[in-house]
Amino acid sequence: MRLENKAAIVTGAGTGIGRACAKRFAKEGAQVLIADIQAEEGQAVVDEIAEAGGEARFRETDVREPDQNERMVEECLDAFGGLDILFCNAGVTLAAEITETSDEDIDHLLNVNVKGGMYAARAAVPHMLEQEGDSSILFTASKTGLVAQEDSPLYCASKGAAVMLAKALALDYADRGIRVNALCPGIIDTPMLERYIEDLPNPQDAWQEFRQAQPIGRLGTPEECADAALWLVSEEARFITGVALPVDGGFTAE
Ligand SMILES: NC(=O)c1ccc[n+]([C@@H]2O[C@H](COP(=O)([O-])OP(=O)(O)OC[C@H]3O[C@@H](n4cnc5c(N)ncnc54)[C@H](O)[C@@H]3O)[C@@H](O)[C@H]2O)c1
C-alpha cells in the first residue's frame, strides 16, 4: 500500500499506459480520478478498480481545454479531499513528415501533449503548495523526448517539451514539496502503438521491426510502465525530482 491516503489524477487513463497506471495506483491504496476524453473506457477502468476493491471515479476531460483541467482538479479535491499525485499521461501521436502535416495536426499534437500538461499543472500546483505533505507531478513523455525518431517531428518535439516542462517545474518547486518527473516509455504495446503501426505503409514488417528495436528484444507492457510510474510518485523516490526516466528496454542506451 505504497500510496495509502493519497489522492491521484491520471489523465488519459481510459486505455493503455494510463489505464495500467490508474489500476496500479489504486491497488497501492490511492483514490484515483480517471480523466479521459473517452467516457466508456474511463468508466470501465473505474469499474475494474472498484471490482478489485479500490476507489476511483471518472471525469470526462479534454486536456486541451484549460477550464476542463481546472474542473478535473476541483473534482479530485471535492471527492477525495486533496490532490497528492498529478499524472499527466494523455497523449496522441502522428506518423508524418513535416511537409505532410496540417495546421490542425500541429495544434492537436501540441494542445494535447504539451499544453494539456501545462494547464493541468497550473491548476494543481496552488493546491499542492497549500496542503500538508509532499506531492508529485509526473508527465508521460517518451523516449522520443530524449532521442529523435524518423517521420515523427511533431511528436518528438512535443515529447521533448514534456521533458523540459517536468525539469523546469522540478526546479521551481524542489524546495516547496512538489517533485516533478517525466516517464519516458520506449515502444509499449498499447492501442496507440497499434494505431501508429497500422498507419505505416507495411504494418507487418513494422511490428517485427518495432519488437526488435529495443535491446531487450520485445515490446514493453503498460504494466511495466506502471511499475516505474508508481515508484516515481511514491515515497521511495522522495529524493528524485527533475528526472526523465527511460522505460525502454535499453533503447536510449545505444
Ligand atoms: N505506446 C507507446 O509506445 C508509447 C511510447 C512512448 C510514450 N507514450 C505516451 O504514453 C501516453 C499514453 O499512451 P498509450 O500508448 O497508452 O496510448 P493510448 O492511445 O492507449 O492512450 C492514450 C489515452 O489518452 C486519451 N486522450 C487522448 N486525447 C485526449 C484528450 N484531448 N484529453 C484527454 N484524454 C485524451 C485517450 O482517450 C487514451 O485513453 C501518451 O502520452 C503517449 O504519447 C506511448
Side-chain angles (χ1 to χ4, degrees), residues 3-244:
L3 302 183
E4 205 168 13
N5 299 322
K6 301 283 185 195
I9 293 175
V10 183
T11 73
T15 62
I17 293 168
R19 171 176 175 266
C21 290
K23 289 172 69 173
R24 191 67 204 275
F25 289 5
K27 197 173 170 196
E28 293 288 338
Q31 298 168 299
V32 185
L33 187 78
I34 311 285
D36 203 294
I37 204 168
Q38 300 191 76
E40 206 173 306
E41 284 76 0
Q43 189 54 52
V45 179
V46 169
D47 296 343
E48 284 171 20
I49 288 173
E51 274 163 33
E55 193 179 344
R57 59 197 289 156
F58 175 69
R59 167 101 207 175
E60 192 168 337
T61 306
D62 184 339
V63 299
R64 294 171 296 181
E65 301 296 333
D67 59 329
Q68 293 195 28
N69 281 279
E70 278 157 31
R71 286 207 293 271
M72 169 183 86
V73 167
E74 291 302 333
E75 175 147 353
C76 183
L77 296 169
D78 288 348
F80 304 141
L83 172 55
D84 305 290
I85 298 162
L86 171 66
F87 184 16
C88 301
N89 164 80
V92 289
T93 189
L94 180 72
E97 279 186 39
I98 194 92
T99 50
E100 294 161 4
T101 57
S102 63
D103 293 351
E104 290 74 25
D105 289 333
I106 292 174
D107 284 345
H108 188 57
L109 262 280
L110 294 182
N111 287 344
V112 180
N113 293 3
V114 184
K115 288 163 82 176
M118 291 174 172
Y119 295 142
R122 187 176 65 184
V125 162
H127 305 285
M128 289 177 159
L129 290 174
E130 258 176 34
Q131 71 189 19
E132 281 197 12
D134 291 346
S135 312
S136 177
I137 301 177
L138 183 61
F139 295 94
T140 301
S142 167
K143 67 171 175 51
T144 56
L146 304 172
V147 294
Q149 168 180 301
E150 285 173 359
D151 294 331
S152 304
L154 303 188
Y155 187 67
C156 291
S158 73
K159 293 303 185 177
V163 167
M164 288 313 295
L165 178 61
K167 286 176 184 267
L169 290 174
L171 288 186
D172 283 348
Y173 299 111
D175 59 357
R176 288 192 272 167
I178 308 176
R179 295 184 302 105
V180 191
N181 293 295
L183 186 76
C184 297
I187 308 168
I188 312 297
D189 197 357
T190 68
M192 174 186 280
L193 181 71
E194 190 172 342
R195 287 191 302 273
Y196 182 87
I197 291 183
E198 293 302 325
D199 272 357
L200 295 175
N202 191 338
Q204 219 168 342
D205 286 357
W207 277 112
Q208 190 60 14
E209 206 181 295
F210 274 64
R211 281 195 192 98
Q212 289 166 354
Q214 296 176 128
I216 232 166
R218 63 172 175 81
L219 299 175
T221 67
E223 289 71 27
E224 286 166 334
C225 292
D227 285 338
L230 169 64
W231 178 72
L232 280 172
V233 302
S234 77
E235 180 67 14
E236 287 166 25
R238 62 193 169 277
F239 200 55
I240 314 292
T241 194
V243 306

